[in-house]
Amino acid sequence: MSQFSRRGLLKTGVAAGVLGLTGLPLRAQTRGGKLTAGLGGANTSDSWDSRTHSDIFMIASCHGTVFDCLTEVAADGSLTGELAESWEASADAKTWTFNLRQGVTFHNGKAFGADDVIESLMMHVGEESKSAAKPIVESIADMKKMGEHQVQFTLASGNADFPYLMSDYHIAMYPAGMIEEAIQNGIGTGLYSVVSFDPGVRFVGRRVDDHYKGDTAGFFDEVEYIAINDNTARMNALMTGQVDTINRIDFKTEALLKANPNLRIQEVTGNQHYSFPMLTDSAPYNDVNVRRALKYGVNRQELVDKILLGHGAVGNDTPIGPANQYYAADMEQLEYDPDKSKFYLKEAGLDSIDIDLSASNAAFEGAVDAAQLMQASMSAGGINLNVVQEPSDGYWSNVWLKKPFCACYWSGRATEDWMFATAYEEGVPWNDSQWDSGDSARFQELLLSARAELDSDKRREQYTEMQQILRDDGGTLVPMFANYVQAVNNRIVSPDTVGNLWQMDNARMAERWSAA
């Protein structure tokens, strides 16, 4: 069996057994009760099609509740098996063999096996596919059923991070031959089956009897996720006891939560970042000098102080954060400098420039305020920013990837290649700056090279250079990294270690938390 040093965390089935199927130490938990969560990030267009999921409401409802993936990132950042029991690779990390769990059934009684894996992955490819996981699946040159519970993947090129990619929340496992029915009704292998689902409003799930995860996860009899996109309404629902937990607390009223003895705040540092992508295939953002002018026009510390109220750190126009292995912490920080903004505008042949910035608090809480702060800071450098406030409902389908300059948030990813392959690789669906022009050629070259590199020191050099390229030439402003800050009623017990890959304990609170 070939194993690779990805922070020492590529767990095989033996190691996964020590942690339990959820990646948590095996310990006594109270079984029973109900978890009611008030979550932002819901849309009326929500569905059980994991290819379309982009925000916490459906990520939490699907991945980690109704559906499962092949692998799972545990709360401590390690990788453990979910529907895959173990995996092994060839010496060049190009061929991966996954051994699947036996005795697993979908909610409709169908047995889980190799055919389900292959057909679920094939959902993401094809010319018309808009799945964010399309680049992950397209990297697989061949999928072969080796037996009812074994699948072999041959990649187009080696990838030491491949098992991590199989934990992507877009790559949920569906029953072969009935995928449309499963999308319509929410038929997965998860710990909770669907009782009711009203898109953009509410989801209710009931604990599955005799689940393959046994008593190591899924301690509630029922879970209910209520869509509460308004920040004030979400806070009030928690304060009045209507819900047990909420995501994205309002920093301005954090003191009220802290003063309530029945509530506690969870704050974890991860790779979540708030960003402002520019479509580099559209003028004026196709000029690197204009992009540089905007980068120097942002007062990053002011955004951290006034928008995050200190719950985060300044960003350096790269999505690689403090929870990543190859985070370039020593890279020189871009500082607010209006004179450099003017300099780069002149390099672009301009004395000043008028641009629109589309923003909505659907992108992240405080996005409109952040845009207005940027409007003020950029004006000193000759950049006249017009803030366009967009409707919250439909923001991700109508604004993001469509408007030339807009507000955005990313939860980040557990590995550098996963993040880059999702949002920065040429041609991928979620490349939100469309950074596919000639000035990204070196970055794209390094991306392919680092992916197949098994030497950790060489990988660090390559990923450091990639971060420098993004800082200097990239099409995305990443002015701040935001901590995950959520609140929980004390009648709910959560582990000491809370996941920092996604919000709400890696979106798996239904599996990992329990009633007090």
Side-chain angles (χ1 to χ4, degrees):
M1 178 180 292
S2 298
Q3 296 175 308
F4 301 94
S5 177
R6 177 64 210 179
R7 306 174 89 179
L9 301 177
L10 292 184
K11 305 293 186 185
T12 64
V14 175
V18 175
L19 291 171
L21 295 177
T22 62
L24 292 174
L26 301 182
R27 58 187 177 89
Q29 292 273 29
T30 301
R31 176 74 183 274
K34 177 182 178 181
L35 173 68
T36 303
L39 301 177
N43 293 280
T44 55
S45 59
D46 286 341
S47 78
W48 292 114
D49 186 346
S50 63
R51 294 171 296 186
T52 68
H53 297 166
S54 61
D55 212 334
I56 189 61
F57 190 90
M58 285 312 301
I59 296 173
S61 299
C62 179
H63 155 282
T65 305
V66 175
F67 289 83
D68 292 324
C69 298
L70 288 180
T71 60
E72 172 187 351
V73 177
D76 64 0
S78 62
L79 192 70
T80 187
E82 191 162 38
L83 287 174
E85 194 168 41
S86 63
W87 47 88
E88 56 188 35
S90 59
D92 59 359
K94 191 173 180 180
T95 301
W96 290 87
T97 302
F98 279 66
N99 300 306
L100 310 178
R101 295 193 186 279
Q102 301 186 35
V104 178
T105 58
F106 287 91
H107 299 153
N108 62 357
K110 181 188 181 301
F112 167 75
D115 292 331
D116 306 305
V117 174
I118 293 172
E119 196 163 318
S120 295
L121 286 166
M122 290 302 296
M123 292 169 55
H124 299 272
V125 297
E127 291 185 9
E128 301 303 316
S129 173
K130 298 186 183 302
S131 170
K134 182 178 181 180
I136 294 175
V137 182
E138 282 188 333
S139 72
I140 304 172
D142 184 55
M143 288 183 273
K144 184 182 298 184
K145 176 181 177 181
M146 308 297 288
E148 289 301 321
H149 295 95
Q150 190 178 73
V151 179
Q152 186 177 88
F153 303 104
T154 302
L155 310 184
S157 60
N159 191 337
D161 294 340
F162 183 71
Y164 267 95
L165 302 182
M166 291 297 98
S167 71
D168 190 303
Y169 60 81
H170 298 99
I171 310 179
M173 292 293 110
Y174 293 86
M178 51 187 75
I179 288 180
E180 290 305 317
E181 177 187 350
I183 290 175
Q184 181 67 31
N185 299 309
I187 302 171
T189 60
L191 278 156
Y192 295 87
S193 61
V194 177
V195 173
S196 64
F197 175 57
D198 188 356
V201 179
R202 186 185 308 267
F203 155 66
V204 177
R206 181 177 295 122
R207 177 59 153 89
V208 173
D209 293 329
D210 300 321
H211 193 268
Y212 75 91
K213 292 187 178 180
D215 295 328
T216 65
F219 306 104
F220 299 103
D221 291 334
E222 187 174 87
V223 295
E224 180 180 19
Y225 297 161
I226 302 171
I228 312 178
N229 288 338
D230 181 77
N231 208 26
T232 300
R234 203 161 58 247
M235 294 281 283
N236 288 338
L238 180 69
M239 294 286 289
T240 58
Q242 297 176 60
V243 300
D244 300 314
T245 183
I246 62 171
N247 68 318
R248 297 173 184 160
I249 74 165
D250 185 349
F251 298 143
K252 296 175 183 177
T253 56
E254 181 184 5
L256 293 175
L257 294 180
K258 288 184 173 180
N260 190 323
N262 298 317
L263 305 175
R264 67 185 185 277
I265 293 174
Q266 293 178 341
E267 180 164 2
V268 294
T269 299
N271 295 326
Q272 177 178 233
H273 51 279
Y274 296 163
S275 64
F276 297 87
M278 302 168 272
L279 292 180
T280 60
D281 58 355
S282 303
Y285 310 108
N286 56 346
D287 189 326
V288 68
N289 291 300
V290 171
R291 302 199 296 270
R292 289 171 178 169
L294 267 65
K295 288 171 182 279
Y296 282 107
V298 181
N299 189 330
R300 298 159 195 266
Q301 190 61 56
E302 180 182 44
L303 292 177
V304 172
D305 294 342
K306 295 182 178 179
I307 302 301
L308 301 182
L309 299 185
H311 294 285
V314 296
N316 213 7
D317 294 348
T318 163
I320 305 307
N324 286 123
Q325 181 179 10
Y326 301 114
Y327 172 53
D330 297 332
M331 185 169 66
E332 184 180 357
Q333 176 66 51
L334 282 179
E335 301 288 352
Y336 176 53
D337 192 334
D339 289 335
K340 284 189 177 179
S341 289
K342 293 177 181 178
F343 170 80
Y344 282 112
L345 284 181
K346 289 189 180 297
E347 290 292 297
L350 302 168
D351 292 324
S352 64
I353 190 170
D354 299 324
I355 55 177
D356 290 339
L357 172 56
S358 296
S360 164
N361 287 346
F364 60 85
E365 194 60 41
V368 174
D369 289 342
Q372 291 169 344
L373 288 173
M374 289 168 58
Q375 180 184 54
S377 67
M378 286 187 177
S379 64
I383 301 167
N384 303 313
L385 195 64
N386 175 43
V387 177
V388 180
Q389 295 194 37
E390 304 282 357
S392 292
D393 192 49
Y395 181 82
W396 296 110
S397 57
N398 300 325
V399 178
W400 182 61
L401 296 173
K402 294 181 173 62
K403 295 299 178 70
F405 190 28
C406 70
C408 181
Y409 99 94
W410 283 90
S411 56
R413 295 297 187 268
T415 72
E416 289 77 6
D417 183 70
W418 189 358
M419 185 67 236
F420 289 147
T422 300
Y424 291 83
E425 186 168 1
E426 185 169 2
V428 298
W430 280 11
N431 184 332
D432 56 9
S433 67
Q434 294 300 302
W435 197 46
D436 298 341
S437 55
D439 58 2
S440 75
R442 174 59 179 167
F443 178 90
Q444 303 298 336
E445 175 189 343
L446 287 166
L447 176 61
L448 297 178
S449 176
R451 178 177 297 161
E453 180 57 64
L454 303 181
D455 185 294
S456 184
D457 290 337
K458 291 181 179 178
R459 282 190 117 192
R460 182 177 301 280
E461 292 176 4
Q462 292 169 324
Y463 284 129
T464 297
E465 183 179 349
M466 292 167 76
Q467 291 171 71
Q468 291 169 342
I469 292 172
L470 287 176
R471 179 198 61 188
D472 297 338
D473 300 337
T476 302
L477 290 172
V478 185
M480 51 185 163
F481 280 83
N483 295 344
Y484 289 123
V485 188
Q486 50 225 19
V488 188
N489 192 291
N490 289 333
R491 61 177 175 255
I492 301 299
V493 175
S494 56
D496 293 335
T497 300
V498 177
N500 66 358
L501 179 57
W502 323 112
Q503 300 171 53
M504 308 304 287
D505 203 354
N506 291 357
R508 289 182 179 267
M509 69 278 197
E511 290 196 2
R512 300 176 179 176
W513 299 3
S514 64

Tab-separated table of all heavy atoms in Angstrom, residues 86-111:
chain	number	residue	atom	x	y	z
A	86	SER	N	-11.390	2.155	2.851
A	86	SER	CA	-9.947	2.370	2.756
A	86	SER	C	-9.599	2.656	1.310
A	86	SER	O	-10.437	2.509	0.405
A	86	SER	CB	-9.176	1.137	3.264
A	86	SER	OG	-9.457	0.005	2.460
A	87	TRP	N	-8.348	3.050	1.070
A	87	TRP	CA	-7.893	3.340	-0.287
A	87	TRP	C	-6.388	3.144	-0.348
A	87	TRP	O	-5.685	3.218	0.652
A	87	TRP	CB	-8.257	4.772	-0.696
A	87	TRP	CG	-7.920	5.798	0.340
A	87	TRP	CD1	-6.753	6.467	0.495
A	87	TRP	CD2	-8.778	6.251	1.393
A	87	TRP	NE1	-6.809	7.313	1.575
A	87	TRP	CE2	-8.043	7.198	2.145
A	87	TRP	CE3	-10.089	5.959	1.766
A	87	TRP	CZ2	-8.589	7.843	3.249
A	87	TRP	CZ3	-10.622	6.600	2.871
A	87	TRP	CH2	-9.877	7.536	3.600
A	88	GLU	N	-5.906	2.892	-1.532
A	88	GLU	CA	-4.467	2.750	-1.741
A	88	GLU	C	-4.127	3.284	-3.123
A	88	GLU	O	-4.987	3.392	-4.000
A	88	GLU	CB	-4.038	1.287	-1.602
A	88	GLU	CG	-4.771	0.328	-2.513
A	88	GLU	CD	-4.454	-1.120	-2.191
A	88	GLU	OE1	-4.271	-1.460	-1.011
A	88	GLU	OE2	-4.391	-1.912	-3.154
A	89	ALA	N	-2.845	3.632	-3.300
A	89	ALA	CA	-2.437	4.291	-4.537
A	89	ALA	C	-1.194	3.649	-5.115
A	89	ALA	O	-0.414	2.993	-4.417
A	89	ALA	CB	-2.161	5.764	-4.270
A	90	SER	N	-1.001	3.884	-6.402
A	90	SER	CA	0.241	3.493	-7.050
A	90	SER	C	1.338	4.452	-6.618
A	90	SER	O	1.080	5.510	-6.029
A	90	SER	CB	0.072	3.525	-8.570
A	90	SER	OG	-0.306	4.825	-9.000
A	91	ALA	N	2.577	4.115	-6.904
A	91	ALA	CA	3.716	4.918	-6.450
A	91	ALA	C	3.693	6.341	-6.991
A	91	ALA	O	4.215	7.267	-6.359
A	91	ALA	CB	5.022	4.225	-6.839
A	92	ASP	N	3.080	6.545	-8.158
A	92	ASP	CA	3.036	7.878	-8.758
A	92	ASP	C	1.736	8.621	-8.452
A	92	ASP	O	1.484	9.689	-9.003
A	92	ASP	CB	3.239	7.789	-10.275
A	92	ASP	CG	2.184	6.928	-10.966
A	92	ASP	OD1	1.289	6.381	-10.271
A	92	ASP	OD2	2.259	6.773	-12.199
A	93	ALA	N	0.917	8.078	-7.559
A	93	ALA	CA	-0.360	8.680	-7.159
A	93	ALA	C	-1.308	8.884	-8.331
A	93	ALA	O	-2.188	9.748	-8.284
A	93	ALA	CB	-0.118	10.009	-6.443
A	94	LYS	N	-1.151	8.049	-9.350
A	94	LYS	CA	-1.994	8.183	-10.533
A	94	LYS	C	-3.155	7.186	-10.523
A	94	LYS	O	-4.217	7.464	-11.080
A	94	LYS	CB	-1.138	7.987	-11.794
A	94	LYS	CG	-1.831	8.359	-13.099
A	94	LYS	CD	-0.863	8.294	-14.265
A	94	LYS	CE	-1.542	8.670	-15.571
A	94	LYS	NZ	-0.612	8.619	-16.719
A	95	THR	N	-2.946	6.041	-9.903
A	95	THR	CA	-3.995	5.023	-9.828
A	95	THR	C	-4.395	4.827	-8.377
A	95	THR	O	-3.560	4.538	-7.517
A	95	THR	CB	-3.509	3.687	-10.412
A	95	THR	OG1	-3.120	3.889	-11.775
A	95	THR	CG2	-4.617	2.644	-10.365
A	96	TRP	N	-5.681	5.013	-8.107
A	96	TRP	CA	-6.211	4.890	-6.747
A	96	TRP	C	-7.287	3.821	-6.710
A	96	TRP	O	-8.195	3.821	-7.551
A	96	TRP	CB	-6.811	6.220	-6.282
A	96	TRP	CG	-5.783	7.291	-6.036
A	96	TRP	CD1	-5.259	8.159	-6.960
A	96	TRP	CD2	-5.165	7.597	-4.787
A	96	TRP	NE1	-4.347	8.993	-6.361
A	96	TRP	CE2	-4.279	8.676	-5.020
A	96	TRP	CE3	-5.277	7.083	-3.498
A	96	TRP	CZ2	-3.499	9.237	-4.018
A	96	TRP	CZ3	-4.512	7.643	-2.487
A	96	TRP	CH2	-3.632	8.712	-2.756
A	97	THR	N	-7.190	2.927	-5.739
A	97	THR	CA	-8.186	1.877	-5.565
A	97	THR	C	-8.914	2.104	-4.248
A	97	THR	O	-8.286	2.177	-3.188
A	97	THR	CB	-7.529	0.488	-5.559
A	97	THR	OG1	-6.811	0.308	-6.786
A	97	THR	CG2	-8.589	-0.604	-5.441
A	98	PHE	N	-10.230	2.263	-4.327
A	98	PHE	CA	-11.063	2.509	-3.157
A	98	PHE	C	-11.861	1.253	-2.821
A	98	PHE	O	-12.534	0.676	-3.694
A	98	PHE	CB	-12.023	3.666	-3.416
A	98	PHE	CG	-11.415	5.030	-3.237
A	98	PHE	CD1	-10.404	5.475	-4.097
A	98	PHE	CD2	-11.838	5.876	-2.238
A	98	PHE	CE1	-9.836	6.723	-3.945
A	98	PHE	CE2	-11.274	7.130	-2.069
A	98	PHE	CZ	-10.270	7.556	-2.916
A	99	ASN	N	-11.774	0.858	-1.573
A	99	ASN	CA	-12.559	-0.263	-1.069
A	99	ASN	C	-13.789	0.289	-0.355
A	99	ASN	O	-13.663	1.081	0.586
A	99	ASN	CB	-11.716	-1.108	-0.109
A	99	ASN	CG	-10.488	-1.674	-0.799
A	99	ASN	OD1	-10.586	-2.332	-1.828
A	99	ASN	ND2	-9.314	-1.390	-0.240
A	100	LEU	N	-14.965	-0.127	-0.809
A	100	LEU	CA	-16.220	0.447	-0.326
A	100	LEU	C	-16.776	-0.340	0.857
A	100	LEU	O	-16.542	-1.546	0.976
A	100	LEU	CB	-17.247	0.478	-1.461
A	100	LEU	CG	-16.778	1.098	-2.779
A	100	LEU	CD1	-17.889	1.011	-3.816
A	100	LEU	CD2	-16.348	2.560	-2.578
A	101	ARG	N	-17.525	0.367	1.681
A	101	ARG	CA	-18.166	-0.296	2.815
A	101	ARG	C	-19.245	-1.257	2.320
A	101	ARG	O	-19.988	-0.956	1.396
A	101	ARG	CB	-18.791	0.726	3.758
A	101	ARG	CG	-17.764	1.613	4.408
A	101	ARG	CD	-18.339	2.402	5.576
A	101	ARG	NE	-17.324	3.329	6.048
A	101	ARG	CZ	-16.322	3.016	6.847
A	101	ARG	NH1	-16.209	1.774	7.278
A	101	ARG	NH2	-15.432	3.925	7.225
A	102	GLN	N	-19.340	-2.377	2.975
A	102	GLN	CA	-20.376	-3.345	2.665
A	102	GLN	C	-21.516	-3.216	3.659
A	102	GLN	O	-21.346	-2.695	4.763
A	102	GLN	CB	-19.796	-4.758	2.686
A	102	GLN	CG	-18.643	-4.946	1.688
A	102	GLN	CD	-18.155	-6.372	1.610
A	102	GLN	OE1	-18.932	-7.315	1.730
A	102	GLN	NE2	-16.859	-6.535	1.391
A	103	GLY	N	-22.690	-3.659	3.249
A	103	GLY	CA	-23.852	-3.606	4.130
A	103	GLY	C	-24.506	-2.245	4.219
A	103	GLY	O	-25.321	-1.999	5.115
A	104	VAL	N	-24.173	-1.324	3.315
A	104	VAL	CA	-24.751	0.019	3.305
A	104	VAL	C	-25.952	0.036	2.363
A	104	VAL	O	-25.894	-0.509	1.251
A	104	VAL	CB	-23.722	1.063	2.843
A	104	VAL	CG1	-24.346	2.445	2.777
A	104	VAL	CG2	-22.513	1.064	3.779
A	105	THR	N	-27.039	0.659	2.783
A	105	THR	CA	-28.223	0.771	1.927
A	105	THR	C	-28.670	2.220	1.827
A	105	THR	O	-28.465	3.022	2.746
A	105	THR	CB	-29.393	-0.070	2.472
A	105	THR	OG1	-29.693	0.367	3.812
A	105	THR	CG2	-29.060	-1.549	2.469
A	106	PHE	N	-29.283	2.534	0.693
A	106	PHE	CA	-29.923	3.838	0.510
A	106	PHE	C	-31.244	3.838	1.275
A	106	PHE	O	-31.733	2.796	1.708
A	106	PHE	CB	-30.158	4.111	-0.978
A	106	PHE	CG	-28.903	4.443	-1.740
A	106	PHE	CD1	-28.169	3.434	-2.358
A	106	PHE	CD2	-28.460	5.747	-1.843
A	106	PHE	CE1	-27.006	3.727	-3.067
A	106	PHE	CE2	-27.304	6.055	-2.542
A	106	PHE	CZ	-26.569	5.045	-3.155
A	107	HIS	N	-31.831	5.007	1.414
A	107	HIS	CA	-33.074	5.137	2.176
A	107	HIS	C	-34.239	4.404	1.528
A	107	HIS	O	-35.245	4.140	2.201
A	107	HIS	CB	-33.421	6.615	2.363
A	107	HIS	CG	-32.383	7.373	3.125
A	107	HIS	ND1	-32.169	8.723	2.972
A	107	HIS	CD2	-31.468	6.956	4.051
A	107	HIS	CE1	-31.187	9.105	3.767
A	107	HIS	NE2	-30.739	8.055	4.426
A	108	ASN	N	-34.119	4.080	0.241
A	108	ASN	CA	-35.182	3.314	-0.417
A	108	ASN	C	-34.905	1.809	-0.390
A	108	ASN	O	-35.631	1.030	-1.014
A	108	ASN	CB	-35.376	3.789	-1.856
A	108	ASN	CG	-34.130	3.580	-2.721
A	108	ASN	OD1	-33.085	3.127	-2.234
A	108	ASN	ND2	-34.242	3.914	-4.001
A	109	GLY	N	-33.861	1.398	0.324
A	109	GLY	CA	-33.563	-0.020	0.473
A	109	GLY	C	-32.557	-0.572	-0.514
A	109	GLY	O	-32.086	-1.708	-0.355
A	110	LYS	N	-32.167	0.211	-1.528
A	110	LYS	CA	-31.192	-0.262	-2.508
A	110	LYS	C	-29.807	-0.389	-1.869
A	110	LYS	O	-29.376	0.497	-1.133
A	110	LYS	CB	-31.115	0.682	-3.702
A	110	LYS	CG	-30.124	0.241	-4.771
A	110	LYS	CD	-29.934	1.304	-5.830
A	110	LYS	CE	-28.945	0.844	-6.906
A	110	LYS	NZ	-27.614	0.516	-6.360
A	111	ALA	N	-29.116	-1.474	-2.149
A	111	ALA	CA	-27.767	-1.681	-1.619
A	111	ALA	C	-26.769	-0.764	-2.316
A	111	ALA	O	-26.855	-0.545	-3.531
A	111	ALA	CB	-27.352	-3.139	-1.778
